[in-house]
């Protein structure tokens, strides 16, 4: 009897059924979702997917990528079969399709390549993977098709590369990172004596006895980092012969894999040549290093075999790092091409050829012009073994040739200035003689004129004009660089101030001349004309450095250099100095110009506008007076010349007081022999000397002076003579008179310029000299100085 379930059991059962139904619905929903996901994956795959009937070949389904790859719509492609898609495309026809499907029917995927055709009849390579699967109750084929056109092109390029490599004369090796050979060319097989199949089974250590697997493993990271490398090693053939090779290794990535593509060149001949050279290296080395030229030797392929030290400096490397390499390893390609072309010309000519080339030395960065000789070298059989190069630096010779042209213009300018100087000197001599007469008689007239007379005022005006004329003459000589050198103690402020008007006229109205004298500036001993030279030259240079309007500043001051300062400044000597500074706001100078400004004939001015002697003369003047000169300048910032002259500390001044000073002219009672060929000056000098109390024997010629010296019974204390006279010069006259009166002193006078007087040798240190024109005061002081400064030993030690 079957028990009737209770109400509670029925309720429980109902709940179980309801839960089961809920779970079933969840499973069905999940199944629907999974179906949806499988379709999404089918459409998302980037390869083309065909599903077709295994028997008929009819296409059942395709994904979107298939439509894009073949160019059909889904409706069009469903109407086709596999044979239609490959119609006329050999080798894949219907029979081939069946054969491939049969292979896939065995249960394993079948992979193969074939040529496919798009709707527009374009052909392309594909890779097909076939798999037999059940589909809706029948056997179907799933074909996954991948477009491999790009890969095929890469493989074709690789085949072409391999063909090219096979044709090269060098041995070519492709190898993997673990030193296994991947590919070798015909030259490698032939040289090493292996068939290709046998050689490819070897690794690098099998053919290179000096490279182990560990050595190769250490080499690989370096090659990968640098991309390429060159080295020398040895290869061993199948029969055991070992020969030297040069390896040019290259890091290559192909089809996602890393390789070393290396080319090996047999360098046996090069090594033989190297050994031959080494056999005579002692003599050759000494010869190469002795010759002051660049010398090098290359083999027929352009690789260096030897060089000397000068060539090492050019390349910037030692010989051991040069040998075996070519020009392209050291210089730019254009220059290397030029070198190789010159090598080829020498070889083609079969004799030495020469050329000129500008090159830069790698060691110093110096640009030089080389004259190069290339000579082909042949062995005993007439075979080319190399090219010898010899080059020497002709930069200075070229510069000298250019400088010769430049100096020719400067010489013409200097000759012109010399002519001007001679003219100025001649004019100054005659003018000074006339001024001497004017000043002399003017002074005598003033002495005889009462202070209250109107005539005295007029005479003073004449004297003032005469003194100004003497200054103009001195300035003219300073401009011509011909003034007499006669150092005097002077007030630098007064000297510069007296020249400011003349300097302003020289530099022009567009440039402001600022005069800034220092306070309580000390005295210095220098020829006033040399101060003129310094100021004129520096102010004219400053004017030329200023474009349009500008400013030139002249300053003076006191400077004290101590031991510490002088220890850090070459040629400076501790002491007290007077500063004379000339500054401008012109365009300034660069460092190279500053290094050369005091060199004779150095100038930055255009041809014909400067001789390059002005600053050299300033430098000479400063040094002659035991001074120093500093120059500060920068491009665009102007220039400043600072001249330091020793401060004069003597007790009595060397300068003569002016007419207005309360000064007593020194007198005397001695006998003076006066020799002067200019009658007006002779008369004026006689009058001046007699007014000072001296007895005067006057002579217009040297012969007359000698006669008076011989006839005079008493002593003659002083000979006052002109330097340049007819019959004989003043120096020779002194010798003649000293032979008659050995105890007399002598005083030279002249209106000629320094170069003329120096030629007559009367401006040596210790010789008494007075420059025409002179005043009575100046003459009296100089005569007294000569008479009172007698030193018996002086004349004996001095050559006249």
């Amino acid at each position: 009897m079957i028990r009737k379930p209770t109400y509670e059991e029925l309720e429980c059962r109902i709940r179980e059924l309801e839960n089961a139904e809920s779970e079933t619905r969840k499973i069905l929903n999940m199944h629907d979702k999974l179906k949806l996901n499988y379709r999404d994956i089918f459409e998302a795959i980037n390869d083309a997917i065909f599903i077709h009937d295994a028997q008929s070949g009819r296409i059942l389904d395709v994904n979107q990528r298939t439509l894009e790859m073949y160019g059909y719509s889904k409706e069009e492609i469903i109407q086709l079969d596999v044979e239609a898609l490959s119609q006329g495309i050999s080798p894949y026809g219907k029979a081939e399709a069946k054969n491939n499907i049969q292979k896939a029917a065995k249960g394993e995927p079948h992979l193969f390549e074939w040529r496919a055709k798009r709707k527009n009849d374009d052909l392309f390579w594909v890779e097909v993977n076939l798999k037999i699967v059940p589909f809706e109750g029948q056997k179907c084929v799933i074909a996954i098709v991948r477009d491999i056109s790009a890969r095929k092109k890469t493989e074709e390029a690789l085949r072409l590369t391999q063909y090219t490599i096979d044709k090269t004369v060098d041995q070519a090796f492709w190898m993997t990172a673990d030193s296994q050979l991947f590919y070798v060319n015909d030259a490698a097989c032939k040289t090493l004596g292996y068939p290709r199949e046998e050689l490819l089974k070897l690794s690098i250590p099998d053919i290179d006895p000096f490279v182990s697997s560990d050595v190769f493993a250490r080499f690989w990271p370096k090659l990968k980092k640098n991309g390429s490398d060159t080295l020398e090693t040895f290869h061993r053939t199948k029969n055991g012969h070992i020969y030297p090779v040069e390896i040019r290794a290259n890091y290559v990535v192909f089809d996602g894999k890393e390789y070393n593509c290396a080319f090996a060149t047999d360098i046996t001949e090069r090594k033989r040549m190297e050994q031959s050279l080494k056999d005579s290296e002692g003599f050759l080395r000494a010869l190469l290093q002795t010759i002051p030229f660049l010398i090098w030797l290359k083999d027929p392929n352009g690789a260096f075999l030897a060089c000397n030290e000068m060539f090492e400096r050019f390349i910037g490397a030692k010989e051991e790092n040069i040998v075996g390499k070519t020009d392209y390893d050291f210089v730019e390609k254009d220059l290397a091409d030029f070198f190789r072309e010159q090598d080829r010309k020498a070889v083609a000519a079969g004799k030495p050829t020469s050329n000129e080339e500008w090159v830069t030395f790698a060691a110093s960065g110096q640009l030089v012009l080389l004259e190069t000789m290339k000579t082909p070298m042949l062995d005993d059989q007439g075979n080319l073994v190399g090219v010898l190069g010899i080059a020497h630096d002709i930069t200075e010779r070229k510069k000298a040739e250019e400088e010769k042209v430049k100096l020719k213009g400067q010489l013409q300018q200097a000759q012109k200035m010399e002519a001007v100087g001679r003219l100025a000197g001649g004019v100054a001599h005659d003018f000074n003689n006339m001024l001497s007469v004017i000043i002399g008689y003017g002074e005598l007239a003033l002495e005889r004129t009462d202070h209250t007379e109107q005539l005295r005022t007029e005479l003073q005006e004449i004297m003032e004009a005469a003194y100004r004329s003497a200054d103009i003459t001195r300035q003219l000589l300073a401009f011509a660089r011909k003034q007499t050198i006669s150092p005097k103690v002077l007030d630098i402020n007064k000297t510069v101030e007296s020249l400011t008007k003349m300097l302003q006229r020289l530099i022009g109205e567009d440039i402001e001349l600022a005069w800034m004298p220092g306070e309580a500036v000390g005295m210095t001993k220098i020829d006033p004309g040399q101060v003129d030279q310094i100021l004129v030259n520096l102010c004219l240079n400053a004017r030329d450095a200023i474009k349009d309007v500008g400013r030139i500043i002249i300053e003076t001051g006191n400077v004290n250099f101590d031991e510490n300062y002088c220890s850090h400044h070459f040629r400076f000597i501790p002491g007290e100095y007077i500063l004379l500074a000339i500054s401008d706001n012109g365009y300034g100078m660069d460092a190279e110009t500053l290094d050369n400004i005091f060199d004779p004939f150095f100038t930055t001015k255009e041809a014909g506008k400067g001789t390059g002697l002005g600053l050299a003369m300033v430098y000479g003047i400063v040094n002659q007076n035991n001074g120093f000169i500093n120059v500060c300048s920068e491009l665009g910032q102007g220039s400043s010349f600072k001249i330091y002259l020793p401060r004069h500390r003597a007790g009595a001044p060397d300068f003569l007081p002016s007419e207005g000073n309360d000064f007593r002219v020194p007198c005397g009672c001695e006998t003076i022999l006066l020799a002067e060929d200019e009658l007006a000056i002779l008369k004026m000098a006689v009058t001046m000397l007699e007014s000072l109390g001296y007895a005067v024997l006057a002579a217009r010629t040297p012969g007359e002076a000698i006669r008076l010296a011989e006839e005079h019974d008493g002593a003659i204390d002083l000979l006052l003579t002109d330097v340049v006279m007819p019959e004989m010069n003043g120096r020779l006259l002194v010798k003649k008179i000293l032979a008659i009166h050995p105890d007399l002193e002598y005083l030279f006078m002249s209106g000629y310029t320094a170069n003329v007087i120096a030629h007559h040798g009367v401006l040596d240190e210790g010789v008494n000299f007075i420059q025409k024109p002179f005043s009575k005061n100046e003459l009296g002081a100089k005569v007294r100085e000569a008479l009172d400064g007698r030193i018996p030993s002086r004349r004996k030690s001095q050559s006249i």
Side-chain angles (χ1 to χ4, degrees), residues 82 421 424 437:
V82 175
V437 176

Side-chain angles (χ1 to χ4, degrees), residues 17-205:
L17 292 173
E18 289 175 348
N19 289 336
E21 183 180 3
S22 176
E23 290 298 324
T24 301
R25 283 197 298 270
K26 288 181 181 179
I27 292 171
L28 291 175
N29 288 336
M30 185 177 296
H31 182 265
D32 291 339
K33 290 180 180 179
L34 287 174
K35 287 176 63 178
L36 178 60
N37 287 338
Y38 288 139
R39 188 68 197 183
D40 290 342
I41 294 172
F42 182 71
E43 293 295 345
I45 292 175
N46 196 40
D47 293 329
I49 301 177
F50 291 88
I51 301 176
H52 58 87
D53 184 85
Q55 297 297 325
S56 65
R58 183 172 62 87
I59 296 173
L60 303 176
D61 198 3
V62 297
N63 65 350
Q64 181 62 31
R65 178 61 180 141
T66 304
L67 304 178
E68 295 169 356
M69 186 180 296
Y70 284 83
Y72 291 95
S73 67
K74 192 165 185 177
E75 291 75 15
E76 291 173 328
I77 207 166
I78 291 296
Q79 304 299 320
L80 303 175
D81 56 23
V82 175
E83 184 178 5
L85 282 175
S86 58
Q87 186 176 3
I89 305 304
S90 179
Y92 186 80
K94 187 172 184 179
E96 184 66 22
K98 289 181 178 180
N99 183 44
N100 285 323
I101 291 172
Q102 289 174 358
K103 291 179 180 179
K106 296 179 180 179
E108 296 294 332
H110 179 49
L111 184 69
F112 61 96
E113 295 176 0
W114 70 336
R115 298 288 292 277
K117 182 170 66 175
R118 307 186 202 277
K119 180 180 179 180
N120 62 6
D121 292 333
D122 285 347
L123 304 179
F124 64 105
W125 278 99
V126 294
E127 182 182 75
V128 182
N129 192 342
L130 295 181
K131 176 75 173 177
I132 300 293
V133 296
F135 183 74
E136 296 181 354
Q138 57 184 342
K139 286 186 177 182
C140 295
V141 178
I142 293 181
I144 301 176
V145 180
R146 175 170 295 176
D147 187 342
I148 59 171
S149 301
R151 191 179 78 191
K152 282 293 186 179
K153 289 181 179 179
T154 301
E155 292 173 352
E156 182 64 22
L158 176 60
R159 281 192 293 274
L160 290 174
T161 301
Q162 290 174 338
Y163 175 80
T164 304
I165 291 174
D166 278 337
K167 296 301 180 182
T168 186
V169 296
D170 287 335
Q171 306 162 51
F173 302 88
W174 283 62
M175 64 202 78
T176 58
D178 58 359
S179 78
Q180 295 299 310
L181 293 176
F182 169 72
Y183 171 78
V184 292
N185 69 347
D186 293 339
C189 297
K190 181 179 179 181
T191 305
L192 293 173
Y194 290 96
R196 179 174 278 101
E197 295 76 12
E198 186 177 352
L199 184 55
L200 288 175
K201 294 178 182 178
L202 304 178
S203 62
I204 294 302

Side-chain angles (χ1 to χ4, degrees), residues 232 270-271 274 278 281 285 289 304-309 311-312 315-325 330:
E232 290 185 7
R270 191 175 85 194
K271 287 298 182 180
E274 291 174 3
K278 286 179 181 179
E281 184 176 6
R285 182 62 50 192
Q289 304 308 334
F304 290 107
L305 299 175
C307 66
N308 66 349
E309 289 181 3
F311 189 80
E312 289 178 343
I315 291 295
K318 290 296 183 181
E319 183 180 14
E320 57 265 25
N321 298 320
I322 297 174
V323 170
K325 297 182 181 179
F330 300 104

Side-chain angles (χ1 to χ4, degrees), residues 691-751:
S691 70
L692 294 173
Y694 297 104
V696 182
L697 303 175
R700 286 196 62 184
T701 65
E704 185 179 357
I706 294 172
R707 181 181 61 78
L708 289 174
E710 291 173 338
E711 293 176 354
H712 185 68
D713 292 333
I716 298 177
D717 300 286
L718 176 73
L719 170 62
L720 174 59
T721 178
D722 194 7
V723 174
V724 181
M725 294 183 294
E727 299 178 8
M728 69 182 70
N729 60 47
R731 183 185 181 90
L732 183 57
L733 177 60
V734 168
K735 289 186 67 175
K736 298 281 188 182
I737 301 299
L738 282 174
I740 304 169
H741 295 271
D743 293 329
L744 99 164
E745 290 292 338
Y746 48 89
L747 171 63
F748 291 104
M749 58 181 174
S750 180

